[in-house]
Amino acid sequence: MAAFRAFWNSPMGPKTTHFWGPVANWGFVVAGLVDTQKPPEMISGNMTGAMCIYSALFMRFAWMVQPRNYLLLGCHASNESVQLYLLSRWAKGQGYLQSKDDKAASN
């Protein structure tokens, strides 16, 4: 019970935006994971690129803010991974990235 009370009243606990902000941001990760099932033509390169920049900036923020917000850092690191994967799928779909098999077939 004491551990729960300490978490509840901590500067990173559920009474603060340091807790609820990252919890809400997990929605971005879930949405990105749902988008992995879409065909590459349905992925927006502009929005995915913007989400990559957004997550990179907030990863730095989460690391620099005092006290460090590891929940926010983890959330945005996960989102960065998902968005980079989506960006690679979009780039392959647009023809910006070719696999070795595609290059060998075109030569």
Side-chain angles (χ1 to χ4, degrees):
M1 188 65 166
F4 177 75
R5 188 174 301 126
F7 168 69
W8 185 262
N9 294 317
S10 76
M12 302 298 290
K15 291 182 179 180
T16 68
T17 58
H18 284 282
F19 178 82
W20 291 109
V23 168
N25 275 311
W26 279 102
F28 290 134
V29 180
V30 171
L33 289 171
V34 170
D35 285 350
T36 62
Q37 303 302 310
K38 292 182 178 180
E41 303 83 40
M42 298 291 294
I43 298 171
S44 169
N46 290 337
M47 180 55 82
T48 303
M51 290 299 290
C52 287
I53 293 168
Y54 165 79
S55 285
L57 290 172
F58 271 90
M59 278 192 296
R60 183 183 187 286
F61 170 79
W63 186 257
M64 299 303 289
V65 71
Q66 292 298 321
R68 284 200 172 131
N69 194 334
Y70 295 111
L71 185 57
L72 187 64
L73 181 67
C75 167
H76 283 293
S78 299
N79 191 42
E80 185 75 14
S81 300
V82 170
Q83 296 301 325
L84 287 172
Y85 172 69
L86 289 172
L87 194 61
S88 72
R89 288 188 63 225
W90 173 81
K92 285 178 188 174
Q94 296 295 313
Y96 294 120
L97 300 176
Q98 291 183 345
S99 67
K100 291 180 182 180
D101 296 335
D102 294 340
K103 287 180 182 178
S106 66
N107 289 334

